Amino acid sequence: MKKISLLGATGSIGIQTLDVINSHPESFKLVAMSFGSNIKSAIDIIEKFKPEFVAVKDENTYNEIIHYSFSHNVQFGYGHEALIEAAVYDGVEVLVNAVVGSVGLVPTLKAIENKITIAIANKETLVTAGHLVTESANKHGVQLLPVDSEHSAIFQCLQGENTKNIERLIVTASGGSFRDKRREELQGVTVEQALNHPNWSMGAKITIDSATMMNKGLEIIEAHWLFNMPYDNIDVLLHKESIIHSLVEFTDRSIIAQLGTPDMRVPIQYALTYPDRYELKNGKRLELWELGKLHFEKADFTRYKCLQFAYNSGKIGGTMPTVLNAANEEAVAAFLKGQITFLEIEDWIERALEKHESISHPSLEQIQEVDRLTRNFVQTLIS
Ligand code: NAD
Ligand code: MG
Protein backbone atom coordinates (compact mmCIF):
# COMPACT_ATOMS: atom_id res chain seq x y z
CA MET A 1 0.00 0.00 0.00
CA LYS A 2 1.62 3.27 -1.17
CA LYS A 3 0.71 6.35 0.85
CA ILE A 4 0.21 9.29 -1.47
CA SER A 5 0.11 13.05 -1.06
CA LEU A 6 -1.57 14.81 -3.98
CA LEU A 7 -1.01 18.54 -4.50
CA GLY A 8 -3.67 20.03 -6.78
CA ALA A 9 -6.29 17.33 -6.19
CA THR A 10 -9.17 19.20 -7.84
CA GLY A 11 -7.28 19.93 -11.07
CA SER A 12 -7.11 18.03 -14.33
CA ILE A 13 -4.12 15.87 -13.32
CA GLY A 14 -5.42 15.70 -9.74
CA ILE A 15 -8.78 14.21 -10.74
CA GLN A 16 -7.14 11.68 -13.07
CA THR A 17 -4.69 10.70 -10.31
CA LEU A 18 -7.66 10.07 -8.02
CA ASP A 19 -9.20 7.92 -10.73
CA VAL A 20 -6.02 5.78 -10.76
CA ILE A 21 -5.98 5.57 -6.94
CA ASN A 22 -9.65 4.63 -6.94
CA SER A 23 -9.17 1.82 -9.44
CA HIS A 24 -6.39 0.23 -7.34
CA PRO A 25 -7.52 0.70 -3.73
CA GLU A 26 -5.42 -2.29 -2.62
CA SER A 27 -2.25 -0.50 -3.80
CA PHE A 28 -2.76 3.21 -3.12
CA LYS A 29 -4.05 5.33 -0.26
CA LEU A 30 -4.49 9.12 -0.36
CA VAL A 31 -3.26 10.50 2.97
CA ALA A 32 -2.82 14.20 2.21
CA MET A 33 -3.92 16.62 -0.51
CA SER A 34 -4.18 20.28 -1.47
CA PHE A 35 -6.66 22.26 -3.49
CA GLY A 36 -7.12 25.87 -4.59
CA SER A 37 -10.66 27.21 -4.68
CA ASN A 38 -13.00 24.47 -5.92
CA ILE A 39 -14.53 23.70 -2.52
CA LYS A 40 -17.41 21.64 -3.85
CA SER A 41 -15.14 19.24 -5.67
CA ALA A 42 -12.75 19.18 -2.68
CA ILE A 43 -15.55 18.15 -0.29
CA ASP A 44 -16.54 15.25 -2.54
CA ILE A 45 -12.91 14.12 -2.78
CA ILE A 46 -12.36 14.36 0.99
CA GLU A 47 -15.55 12.36 1.69
CA LYS A 48 -14.61 9.69 -0.82
CA PHE A 49 -10.84 9.30 -0.26
CA LYS A 50 -10.68 10.24 3.43
CA PRO A 51 -7.27 11.98 3.52
CA GLU A 52 -5.92 12.84 6.98
CA PHE A 53 -4.64 16.29 6.02
CA VAL A 54 -5.89 18.90 3.53
CA ALA A 55 -4.05 22.09 2.52
CA VAL A 56 -6.27 24.88 1.26
CA LYS A 57 -4.84 27.72 -0.84
CA ASP A 58 -6.41 30.71 0.92
CA GLU A 59 -7.80 31.56 4.34
CA ASN A 60 -11.37 32.31 3.20
CA THR A 61 -11.84 28.88 1.65
CA TYR A 62 -10.22 27.36 4.74
CA ASN A 63 -12.70 29.18 7.01
CA GLU A 64 -15.52 27.82 4.92
CA ILE A 65 -14.42 24.19 4.73
CA ILE A 66 -13.55 23.72 8.42
CA HIS A 67 -17.24 24.18 9.31
CA TYR A 68 -18.27 21.28 7.14
CA SER A 69 -18.71 18.04 9.09
CA PHE A 70 -16.90 15.11 7.52
CA SER A 71 -17.52 11.47 8.37
CA HIS A 72 -13.85 10.93 9.33
CA ASN A 73 -11.12 12.82 11.16
CA VAL A 74 -9.44 15.34 8.86
CA GLN A 75 -7.13 18.25 9.65
CA PHE A 76 -6.94 21.42 7.56
CA GLY A 77 -4.33 24.10 7.01
CA TYR A 78 -4.02 27.02 4.58
CA GLY A 79 -1.40 28.94 2.66
CA HIS A 80 2.06 27.97 1.55
CA GLU A 81 3.07 26.42 4.88
CA ALA A 82 0.11 24.04 4.65
CA LEU A 83 1.07 23.12 1.08
CA ILE A 84 4.50 22.08 2.41
CA GLU A 85 2.87 20.25 5.34
CA ALA A 86 0.73 18.25 2.89
CA ALA A 87 3.81 17.39 0.80
CA VAL A 88 5.74 15.92 3.74
CA TYR A 89 2.78 14.64 5.76
CA ASP A 90 3.54 11.76 8.13
CA GLY A 91 4.01 8.48 6.29
CA VAL A 92 3.82 9.90 2.73
CA GLU A 93 5.85 7.74 0.32
CA VAL A 94 4.97 9.40 -3.00
CA LEU A 95 4.23 13.05 -3.66
CA VAL A 96 2.18 13.64 -6.80
CA ASN A 97 2.87 17.27 -7.53
CA ALA A 98 0.01 18.45 -9.75
CA VAL A 99 -0.29 22.10 -8.80
CA VAL A 100 0.20 24.63 -11.53
CA GLY A 101 3.07 27.10 -11.34
CA SER A 102 6.33 27.61 -9.47
CA VAL A 103 4.38 27.53 -6.18
CA GLY A 104 5.17 23.79 -6.33
CA LEU A 105 8.93 24.32 -5.95
CA VAL A 106 9.45 24.52 -2.17
CA PRO A 107 7.03 21.66 -1.34
CA THR A 108 8.95 19.50 -3.84
CA LEU A 109 12.32 20.40 -2.31
CA LYS A 110 11.02 19.67 1.21
CA ALA A 111 9.58 16.33 0.12
CA ILE A 112 12.92 15.39 -1.47
CA GLU A 113 14.71 16.24 1.79
CA ASN A 114 12.25 13.86 3.50
CA LYS A 115 13.19 11.12 1.00
CA ILE A 116 9.71 11.07 -0.54
CA THR A 117 9.51 9.84 -4.15
CA ILE A 118 8.30 12.60 -6.48
CA ALA A 119 5.82 12.01 -9.30
CA ILE A 120 6.18 15.32 -11.09
CA ALA A 121 3.45 16.83 -13.27
CA ASN A 122 4.26 20.37 -12.13
CA LYS A 123 6.81 21.22 -14.87
CA GLU A 124 7.14 24.86 -13.77
CA THR A 125 9.07 23.61 -10.73
CA LEU A 126 11.73 22.00 -12.95
CA VAL A 127 11.86 24.99 -15.28
CA THR A 128 12.31 27.57 -12.56
CA ALA A 129 14.90 25.66 -10.50
CA GLY A 130 15.77 22.38 -12.21
CA HIS A 131 19.33 22.36 -10.87
CA LEU A 132 18.16 22.64 -7.24
CA VAL A 133 15.57 19.89 -7.64
CA THR A 134 17.85 17.43 -9.45
CA GLU A 135 20.88 18.12 -7.26
CA SER A 136 18.82 17.55 -4.13
CA ALA A 137 17.19 14.42 -5.55
CA ASN A 138 20.66 12.99 -6.35
CA LYS A 139 21.98 13.93 -2.94
CA HIS A 140 19.08 12.28 -1.11
CA GLY A 141 18.76 9.32 -3.48
CA VAL A 142 15.18 10.28 -4.36
CA GLN A 143 13.52 9.29 -7.62
CA LEU A 144 11.89 11.94 -9.82
CA LEU A 145 9.25 10.13 -11.85
CA PRO A 146 7.82 12.02 -14.83
CA VAL A 147 4.05 12.43 -15.19
CA ASP A 148 4.13 14.69 -18.25
CA SER A 149 3.20 12.36 -21.13
CA GLU A 150 6.28 13.18 -23.26
CA HIS A 151 8.68 12.65 -20.39
CA SER A 152 6.95 9.47 -19.29
CA ALA A 153 7.31 8.27 -22.89
CA ILE A 154 11.04 9.02 -22.92
CA PHE A 155 11.42 7.42 -19.48
CA GLN A 156 9.65 4.28 -20.77
CA CYS A 157 11.85 4.19 -23.90
CA LEU A 158 14.95 4.35 -21.70
CA GLN A 159 14.14 1.34 -19.52
CA GLY A 160 17.01 -1.12 -19.71
CA GLU A 161 19.12 1.28 -21.82
CA ASN A 162 22.50 2.74 -21.00
CA THR A 163 22.23 6.55 -20.93
CA LYS A 164 25.64 6.88 -22.62
CA ASN A 165 24.06 5.44 -25.78
CA ILE A 166 21.40 8.15 -26.12
CA GLU A 167 21.94 10.37 -29.16
CA ARG A 168 18.82 12.54 -29.02
CA LEU A 169 15.45 12.96 -27.34
CA ILE A 170 12.60 13.76 -29.71
CA VAL A 171 9.71 15.44 -27.92
CA THR A 172 6.44 15.41 -29.85
CA ALA A 173 4.03 18.37 -29.93
CA SER A 174 0.41 18.48 -31.01
CA GLY A 175 0.68 22.17 -31.92
CA GLY A 176 -2.18 23.30 -29.66
CA SER A 177 -5.39 25.09 -30.56
CA PHE A 178 -3.93 27.41 -33.23
CA ARG A 179 -1.75 24.95 -35.09
CA ASP A 180 -3.65 25.49 -38.34
CA LYS A 181 -3.40 29.27 -38.14
CA ARG A 182 -0.58 31.35 -39.62
CA ARG A 183 1.08 33.95 -37.39
CA GLU A 184 -0.87 36.82 -39.00
CA GLU A 185 -4.12 35.05 -38.12
CA LEU A 186 -3.36 35.12 -34.39
CA GLN A 187 -4.23 38.80 -34.06
CA GLY A 188 -7.44 39.05 -32.08
CA VAL A 189 -7.95 35.36 -31.25
CA THR A 190 -10.11 34.90 -28.14
CA VAL A 191 -9.56 33.16 -24.81
CA GLU A 192 -12.34 30.74 -25.70
CA GLN A 193 -10.64 29.77 -28.99
CA ALA A 194 -7.29 29.37 -27.24
CA LEU A 195 -8.84 27.06 -24.63
CA ASN A 196 -10.15 24.71 -27.30
CA HIS A 197 -7.34 22.12 -27.49
CA PRO A 198 -7.74 19.55 -30.29
CA ASN A 199 -6.47 16.45 -28.40
CA TRP A 200 -6.29 16.97 -24.64
CA SER A 201 -8.63 18.29 -21.96
CA MET A 202 -6.35 20.04 -19.45
CA GLY A 203 -6.21 22.96 -17.02
CA ALA A 204 -6.49 26.49 -18.44
CA LYS A 205 -2.84 27.51 -18.00
CA ILE A 206 -1.32 24.53 -19.80
CA THR A 207 -3.92 24.78 -22.58
CA ILE A 208 -2.82 28.37 -23.28
CA ASP A 209 0.81 27.24 -23.01
CA SER A 210 0.05 24.64 -25.70
CA ALA A 211 -1.43 27.31 -27.97
CA THR A 212 1.68 29.52 -27.65
CA MET A 213 3.98 26.44 -27.76
CA MET A 214 5.47 27.60 -24.48
CA ASN A 215 4.31 24.25 -23.12
CA LYS A 216 6.77 22.51 -25.45
CA GLY A 217 9.42 25.04 -24.51
CA LEU A 218 8.91 24.30 -20.82
CA GLU A 219 9.02 20.58 -21.64
CA ILE A 220 12.40 20.94 -23.38
CA ILE A 221 13.80 22.43 -20.17
CA GLU A 222 12.00 19.75 -18.14
CA ALA A 223 13.60 17.04 -20.34
CA HIS A 224 17.03 18.66 -19.99
CA TRP A 225 16.82 18.27 -16.20
CA LEU A 226 15.02 14.93 -15.94
CA PHE A 227 17.31 13.16 -18.40
CA ASN A 228 20.48 15.23 -17.96
CA MET A 229 20.58 15.93 -21.69
CA PRO A 230 22.20 18.95 -23.46
CA TYR A 231 19.74 21.21 -25.30
CA ASP A 232 21.38 20.47 -28.66
CA ASN A 233 20.33 16.84 -28.22
CA ILE A 234 16.66 17.59 -27.60
CA ASP A 235 14.42 18.11 -30.63
CA VAL A 236 10.77 18.99 -31.08
CA LEU A 237 8.65 17.16 -33.65
CA LEU A 238 5.16 18.34 -34.59
CA HIS A 239 2.80 15.39 -34.54
CA LYS A 240 -0.81 16.44 -34.54
CA GLU A 241 -2.47 13.16 -33.53
CA SER A 242 -0.72 12.87 -30.10
CA ILE A 243 -0.35 9.11 -30.58
CA ILE A 244 3.45 8.94 -30.40
CA HIS A 245 4.14 10.55 -27.03
CA SER A 246 7.89 10.98 -27.68
CA LEU A 247 10.93 9.13 -29.03
CA VAL A 248 14.57 8.42 -28.22
CA GLU A 249 17.30 8.03 -30.82
CA PHE A 250 20.33 5.93 -29.87
CA THR A 251 23.90 6.00 -31.18
CA ASP A 252 23.21 3.10 -33.56
CA ARG A 253 20.41 5.24 -35.19
CA SER A 254 17.74 3.04 -33.74
CA ILE A 255 14.72 5.01 -32.55
CA ILE A 256 12.39 3.77 -29.82
CA ALA A 257 9.01 5.44 -29.35
CA GLN A 258 6.13 5.10 -26.89
CA LEU A 259 2.61 5.11 -28.34
CA GLY A 260 -0.93 5.05 -27.04
CA THR A 261 -4.28 6.82 -27.25
CA PRO A 262 -4.05 10.21 -25.50
CA ASP A 263 -4.91 9.40 -21.86
CA MET A 264 -3.01 11.09 -19.02
CA ARG A 265 -3.91 8.26 -16.67
CA VAL A 266 -1.25 6.13 -18.43
CA PRO A 267 1.75 8.29 -17.43
CA ILE A 268 0.19 9.06 -14.02
CA GLN A 269 -0.34 5.38 -13.28
CA TYR A 270 3.11 4.41 -14.58
CA ALA A 271 4.70 6.92 -12.18
CA LEU A 272 2.75 5.28 -9.33
CA THR A 273 3.40 1.66 -10.27
CA TYR A 274 6.95 1.97 -11.69
CA PRO A 275 8.75 -0.32 -12.44
CA ASP A 276 5.61 -2.46 -12.56
CA ARG A 277 2.58 -1.89 -14.81
CA TYR A 278 -1.06 -2.30 -13.83
CA GLU A 279 -4.16 -2.72 -15.94
CA LEU A 280 -5.64 0.66 -16.94
CA LYS A 281 -9.34 0.76 -16.07
CA ASN A 282 -11.41 1.42 -19.21
CA GLY A 283 -8.19 2.11 -21.12
CA LYS A 284 -8.85 2.50 -24.84
CA ARG A 285 -6.72 0.18 -26.98
CA LEU A 286 -4.73 1.81 -29.78
CA GLU A 287 -5.48 0.22 -33.16
CA LEU A 288 -3.09 1.73 -35.67
CA TRP A 289 -5.02 0.33 -38.64
CA GLU A 290 -8.02 2.44 -37.55
CA LEU A 291 -5.87 5.55 -37.80
CA GLY A 292 -4.15 4.53 -41.05
CA LYS A 293 -1.82 7.54 -41.04
CA LEU A 294 0.19 9.62 -38.61
CA HIS A 295 1.55 13.07 -39.49
CA PHE A 296 4.84 14.79 -38.72
CA GLU A 297 6.22 18.26 -39.35
CA LYS A 298 9.36 20.16 -38.52
CA ALA A 299 8.90 22.67 -35.69
CA ASP A 300 8.97 26.26 -36.97
CA PHE A 301 10.75 28.57 -34.54
CA THR A 302 9.58 31.78 -36.22
CA ARG A 303 5.95 30.68 -36.04
CA TYR A 304 6.34 29.64 -32.40
CA LYS A 305 8.52 32.30 -30.76
CA CYS A 306 8.04 30.84 -27.27
CA LEU A 307 9.83 27.69 -28.36
CA GLN A 308 12.85 29.79 -29.34
CA PHE A 309 12.68 31.74 -26.06
CA ALA A 310 12.74 28.47 -24.13
CA TYR A 311 15.75 27.04 -25.99
CA ASN A 312 17.65 30.31 -25.56
CA SER A 313 16.78 30.58 -21.86
CA GLY A 314 17.63 26.95 -21.22
CA LYS A 315 21.03 27.31 -22.92
CA ILE A 316 21.86 30.49 -21.01
CA GLY A 317 20.72 28.73 -17.85
CA GLY A 318 21.02 30.19 -14.35
CA THR A 319 18.03 32.41 -13.58
CA MET A 320 17.01 32.87 -17.24
CA PRO A 321 14.51 29.95 -17.18
CA THR A 322 13.14 31.38 -13.90
CA VAL A 323 12.35 34.61 -15.77
CA LEU A 324 10.89 32.69 -18.71
CA ASN A 325 8.58 30.80 -16.39
CA ALA A 326 7.51 33.68 -14.13
CA ALA A 327 6.88 36.04 -17.07
CA ASN A 328 4.88 33.33 -18.79
CA GLU A 329 2.78 32.57 -15.70
CA GLU A 330 1.90 36.25 -15.29
CA ALA A 331 1.25 36.86 -18.99
CA VAL A 332 -0.97 33.79 -19.34
CA ALA A 333 -2.97 34.76 -16.22
CA ALA A 334 -3.46 38.25 -17.70
CA PHE A 335 -4.56 36.81 -21.05
CA LEU A 336 -7.07 34.52 -19.29
CA LYS A 337 -8.47 37.58 -17.47
CA GLY A 338 -8.84 39.42 -20.78
CA GLN A 339 -6.22 42.04 -19.87
CA ILE A 340 -3.85 41.40 -22.80
CA THR A 341 -4.07 39.89 -26.28
CA PHE A 342 -2.78 36.47 -27.25
CA LEU A 343 0.29 37.84 -29.07
CA GLU A 344 1.13 40.11 -26.15
CA ILE A 345 1.90 36.99 -24.11
CA GLU A 346 5.01 36.55 -26.28
CA ASP A 347 5.85 40.27 -26.23
CA TRP A 348 5.81 40.51 -22.44
CA ILE A 349 7.91 37.39 -22.03
CA GLU A 350 10.41 38.69 -24.57
CA ARG A 351 10.71 42.02 -22.75
CA ALA A 352 11.23 40.32 -19.38
CA LEU A 353 13.95 38.09 -20.87
CA GLU A 354 15.73 40.98 -22.64
CA LYS A 355 15.88 42.95 -19.42
CA HIS A 356 17.35 40.16 -17.31
CA GLU A 357 21.00 39.41 -16.64
CA SER A 358 21.23 35.78 -15.69
CA ILE A 359 22.75 34.76 -12.36
CA SER A 360 24.53 31.43 -12.69
CA HIS A 361 23.98 28.65 -10.16
CA PRO A 362 21.36 30.63 -8.23
CA SER A 363 20.33 29.73 -4.69
CA LEU A 364 16.69 29.17 -3.76
CA GLU A 365 16.53 32.71 -2.35
CA GLN A 366 17.92 34.19 -5.59
CA ILE A 367 15.40 32.22 -7.62
CA GLN A 368 12.53 33.39 -5.44
CA GLU A 369 13.73 36.99 -5.73
CA VAL A 370 14.05 36.83 -9.54
CA ASP A 371 10.63 35.17 -9.73
CA ARG A 372 9.08 37.99 -7.66
CA LEU A 373 10.82 40.81 -9.59
CA THR A 374 9.82 39.30 -12.94
CA ARG A 375 6.19 39.03 -11.89
CA ASN A 376 6.24 42.68 -10.77
CA PHE A 377 7.85 43.76 -14.05
CA VAL A 378 5.22 41.98 -16.15
CA GLN A 379 2.45 43.36 -13.91
CA THR A 380 3.67 46.91 -14.58
CA LEU A 381 3.77 46.24 -18.32
CA ILE A 382 0.20 45.00 -18.16
CA SER A 383 -1.12 47.93 -16.17
P1 NAD B 1 -5.33 22.64 -13.14
O1 NAD B 1 -5.42 24.10 -13.21
O2 NAD B 1 -6.42 21.82 -13.73
O3 NAD B 1 -5.16 22.18 -11.63
C1 NAD B 1 -4.27 22.79 -10.74
C2 NAD B 1 -4.59 22.34 -9.33
O4 NAD B 1 -3.70 22.98 -8.41
C3 NAD B 1 -5.99 22.68 -8.84
O5 NAD B 1 -6.45 21.66 -7.98
C4 NAD B 1 -5.78 23.96 -8.05
O6 NAD B 1 -6.80 24.16 -7.13
C5 NAD B 1 -4.46 23.63 -7.38
N1 NAD B 1 -3.68 24.78 -6.93
C6 NAD B 1 -3.26 25.81 -7.69
N2 NAD B 1 -2.57 26.68 -6.93
C7 NAD B 1 -2.54 26.16 -5.68
C8 NAD B 1 -1.99 26.58 -4.45
N3 NAD B 1 -1.30 27.73 -4.35
N4 NAD B 1 -2.15 25.80 -3.38
C9 NAD B 1 -2.84 24.65 -3.46
N5 NAD B 1 -3.38 24.19 -4.59
C10 NAD B 1 -3.24 24.94 -5.67
O7 NAD B 1 -3.92 22.24 -13.80
P2 NAD B 1 -3.52 20.87 -14.52
O8 NAD B 1 -3.86 20.94 -15.95
O9 NAD B 1 -3.98 19.70 -13.73
O10 NAD B 1 -1.93 20.97 -14.45
C11 NAD B 1 -1.20 20.76 -13.25
C12 NAD B 1 0.28 20.66 -13.60
O11 NAD B 1 0.50 19.51 -14.40
C13 NAD B 1 0.81 21.84 -14.42
O12 NAD B 1 2.13 22.11 -14.06
C14 NAD B 1 0.76 21.32 -15.84
O13 NAD B 1 1.70 21.94 -16.67
C15 NAD B 1 1.08 19.85 -15.63
N6 NAD B 1 0.57 18.95 -16.68
C16 NAD B 1 -0.76 18.86 -16.88
C17 NAD B 1 -1.25 18.01 -17.87
C18 NAD B 1 -2.74 17.83 -18.09
O14 NAD B 1 -3.14 16.97 -18.87
N7 NAD B 1 -3.60 18.59 -17.43
C19 NAD B 1 -0.36 17.27 -18.65
C20 NAD B 1 1.00 17.38 -18.40
C21 NAD B 1 1.46 18.23 -17.42
MG1 MG C 1 3.20 17.25 -22.00
Side-chain angles (χ1 to χ4, degrees):
M1 180 74 91
K2 263 185 199 163
K3 291 188 177 175
I4 295 172
S5 170
L6 172 59
L7 304 187
T10 55
S12 162
I13 293 289
I15 296 290
Q16 295 179 86
T17 304
L18 292 168
D19 189 31
V20 169
I21 294 174
N22 190 43
S23 52
H24 301 286
E26 69 298 339
S27 302
F28 308 121
K29 166 82 184 106
L30 184 75
V31 294
M33 61 175 258
S34 90
F35 75 98
S37 51
N38 192 341
I39 191 163
K40 197 179 161 295
S41 166
I43 289 171
D44 292 344
I45 294 167
I46 297 165
E47 274 299 0
K48 185 167 176 186
F49 291 88
K50 308 202 181 317
E52 295 162 29
F53 182 78
V54 177
V56 189
K57 185 175 169 184
D58 65 75
E59 194 175 356
N60 288 344
T61 318
Y62 166 83
N63 282 328
E64 211 178 312
I65 205 164
I66 51 169
H67 296 298
Y68 189 90
S69 63
F70 289 96
S71 59
H72 74 293
N73 231 334
V74 49
Q75 280 175 277
F76 291 92
Y78 67 85
H80 200 243
E81 285 307 310
L83 195 62
I84 296 169
E85 206 177 328
V88 300
Y89 188 77
D90 208 18
V92 168
E93 291 158 273
V94 184
L95 170 67
V96 180
N97 184 348
V99 288
V100 52
S102 61
V103 64
L105 172 61
V106 176
T108 304
L109 291 173
K110 295 286 178 200
I112 292 171
E113 285 164 21
N114 281 266
K115 300 208 185 301
I116 294 167
T117 301
I118 313 289
I120 188 112
N122 176 225
K123 62 192 82 180
E124 294 88 351
T125 276
L126 284 170
V127 173
T128 201
H131 66 297
L132 295 182
V133 176
T134 50
E135 277 165 22
S136 183
N138 288 339
K139 180 176 155 200
H140 292 96
V142 165
Q143 255 179 335
L144 288 177
L145 299 168
V147 169
D148 214 342
S149 56
E150 296 77 2
H151 305 75
S152 175
I154 292 167
F155 185 60
Q156 293 180 55
C157 295
L158 291 177
Q159 294 306 307
E161 297 293 344
N162 191 330
T163 47
K164 79 170 183 18
N165 298 328
I166 306 172
E167 181 80 21
R168 159 168 89 119
L169 308 180
I170 305 166
V171 179
T172 52
S174 71
S177 34
F178 299 138
R179 64 190 186 192
D180 297 325
K181 287 193 188 299
R182 283 173 289 116
R183 226 184 137 67
E184 309 80 75
E185 294 174 293
L186 296 175
Q187 213 82 46
V189 290
T190 65
V191 171
E192 199 191 356
Q193 287 172 310
L195 285 175
N196 188 20
H197 195 286
N199 303 356
W200 301 94
S201 160
M202 310 182 285
K205 195 256 177 185
I206 186 176
T207 307
I208 303 303
D209 284 346
S210 300
T212 60
M213 265 299 194
M214 182 57 96
N215 183 49
K216 215 44 58 182
L218 301 177
E219 290 184 356
I220 294 307
I221 301 175
E222 185 184 10
H224 165 79
W225 291 115
L226 283 173
F227 305 109
N228 190 24
M229 191 54 49
Y231 287 98
D232 287 337
N233 301 54
I234 309 175
D235 281 350
V236 171
L237 175 68
L238 291 181
H239 163 49
K240 66 180 183 184
E241 290 91 355
S242 299
I243 294 294
I244 299 184
H245 300 304
S246 279
L247 316 88
V248 179
E249 183 184 1
F250 295 90
T251 38
D252 61 359
R253 294 284 176 259
S254 185
I255 291 182
I256 298 187
Q258 188 258 342
L259 289 75
T261 48
D263 185 338
M264 280 310 293
R265 293 177 310 155
V266 176
I268 293 168
Q269 181 170 287
Y270 188 66
L272 294 179
T273 63
Y274 173 80
D276 205 353
R277 289 182 188 268
Y278 288 5
E279 183 191 335
L280 185 77
K281 200 180 94 188
N282 305 322
K284 194 170 174 289
R285 175 168 284 165
L286 172 64
E287 293 290 8
L288 285 170
W289 61 264
E290 277 178 8
L291 289 170
K293 279 184 189 166
L294 294 175
H295 296 81
F296 306 97
E297 268 175 70
K298 204 169 158 51
D300 177 349
F301 288 78
T302 50
R303 164 68 179 77
Y304 296 110
K305 282 170 86 175
C306 287
L307 202 50
Q308 189 67 60
F309 297 159
Y311 267 103
N312 295 348
S313 305
K315 284 182 184 175
I316 295 167
T319 46
M320 208 50 105
T322 311
V323 172
L324 177 87
N325 179 68
N328 182 55
E329 283 191 36
E330 289 303 312
V332 170
F335 172 68
L336 284 168
K337 284 189 241 161
Q339 294 170 332
I340 63 170
T341 66
F342 183 75
L343 286 172
E344 277 172 332
I345 298 175
E346 292 174 354
D347 294 345
W348 292 173
I349 296 167
E350 189 165 27
R351 285 175 67 175
L353 290 170
E354 277 170 2
K355 194 175 151 286
H356 186 64
E357 278 205 29
S358 180
I359 306 165
S360 58
H361 261 275
S363 64
L364 177 60
E365 292 67 32
Q366 285 172 313
I367 282 173
Q368 288 172 323
E369 179 65 0
V370 168
D371 180 277
R372 193 182 61 76
L373 291 173
T374 305
R375 287 171 196 270
N376 288 347
F377 174 71
V378 176
Q379 281 299 333
T380 33
L381 285 181
I382 290 163
S383 55

